[in-house]
Amino acid sequence: MAMNHPGLYELVLHHRYADPDFQDLSGHGNHGYGTVPRVAGDGRVAAVFDGERDRIFVPPSATLTRRGGIRADVVVNVDELGHRRTLVEGYLSFAVHVEGDGAIGAGIYRHLEWYGVQSPRAVVPTGRWVTVTFLYTEDGVMTLSLDGETVAEEYRRLGAANGVAWPFGLSIGAWPDADQRVLKGRLAEVKLWRSLPPGPSLDLDRADT
């Protein structure tokens, strides 16, 4: 699968909420902004979302608005289900969420529509830390994983996913443009990769060594 090639994808956002001020550890300056409290518990410090209005906002940037493949990793502890709750969403680009029945859902926005993939119900536990991974490759593979185990997979021949759009950018823990679908729970870490644009400087043979 193309995503596994080390020369084609780049880590463009890395938030670890044990660190102060929602800083981006990827080196690309995609820092977060918000008033979400950080609380210690279960042996780690995490950002705690109230299920009503808490969110972390990341403005669009050159790396976030880049079209192409996507991988998002979210370390989450869900306190409450009940309805769809957003883990991370790039405005008019991609979304990862937890459904009210405990399914994981994700998708990309292309051709003025959302195209998604969803796991069976009740795969996400409440009150326990898990890692949710969404992958969309430009060759059409769309995959959801929980703690490294694939829980849903589709083939969608949609081409490059849109970049994150203005004005709402990247929203962590809530719907981008309203206080809806807000997470009730905790986030410890969020990582986002985007595919690199093609160019003559890409040395595939060297990247494999």
Side-chain angles (χ1 to χ4, degrees):
M1 197 182 301
M3 178 62 215
N4 294 328
H5 197 294
L8 297 182
Y9 276 67
E10 178 183 22
L11 181 66
V12 298
L13 179 147
H14 182 190
H15 288 183
R16 187 172 57 207
Y17 297 124
D19 299 322
D21 301 327
F22 309 129
Q23 295 295 297
D24 175 23
L25 305 178
S26 78
H28 288 287
N30 291 314
H31 308 305
Y33 301 90
T35 57
V36 180
R38 295 163 55 254
V39 177
D42 299 331
R44 67 179 79 195
V45 177
V48 181
F49 296 77
D50 64 1
E52 296 181 4
R53 57 189 171 274
D54 284 338
R55 71 178 66 233
I56 296 168
F57 166 72
V58 183
S61 67
T63 51
L64 294 181
T65 57
R66 180 193 301 164
R67 289 167 50 85
I70 296 170
R71 174 172 168 162
D73 284 3
V74 181
V75 181
V76 60
N77 190 321
V78 177
D79 289 339
E80 183 181 290
L81 297 170
H83 58 81
R84 179 178 291 186
R85 298 185 186 273
T86 301
L87 299 181
V88 58
E89 182 166 340
Y91 184 60
L92 300 182
S93 176
F94 76 98
V96 187
H97 54 264
V98 177
E99 296 284 358
D101 61 1
I104 308 168
I108 66 166
Y109 188 77
R110 287 283 287 149
H111 312 301
L112 303 180
E113 291 188 43
W114 283 97
Y115 298 86
V117 61
Q118 186 165 306
S119 76
R121 63 183 300 275
V123 300
V124 176
T126 55
R128 181 167 69 83
W129 288 103
V130 294
T131 300
V132 174
T133 299
F134 171 57
L135 169 65
Y136 174 75
T137 68
E138 290 187 62
D139 54 4
V141 177
M142 191 178 292
T143 304
L144 277 169
S145 303
L146 185 73
D147 290 337
E149 180 179 346
T150 300
V151 294
E153 189 169 22
E154 297 277 353
Y155 179 76
R156 303 273 187 171
R157 198 169 187 175
L158 300 170
N162 296 337
V164 174
W166 291 91
F168 298 111
L170 187 74
S171 185
I172 297 170
W175 213 26
D177 51 347
D179 289 335
Q180 298 180 27
R181 302 177 182 174
V182 182
L183 176 66
K184 176 72 171 177
R186 290 166 285 168
L187 289 176
E189 193 167 20
V190 175
K191 294 181 180 180
L192 179 66
W193 288 259
R194 295 306 303 252
S195 58
L196 287 165
S201 62
L202 183 61
D203 186 340
L204 296 181
D205 291 333
R206 185 171 59 197
D208 280 331
T209 59

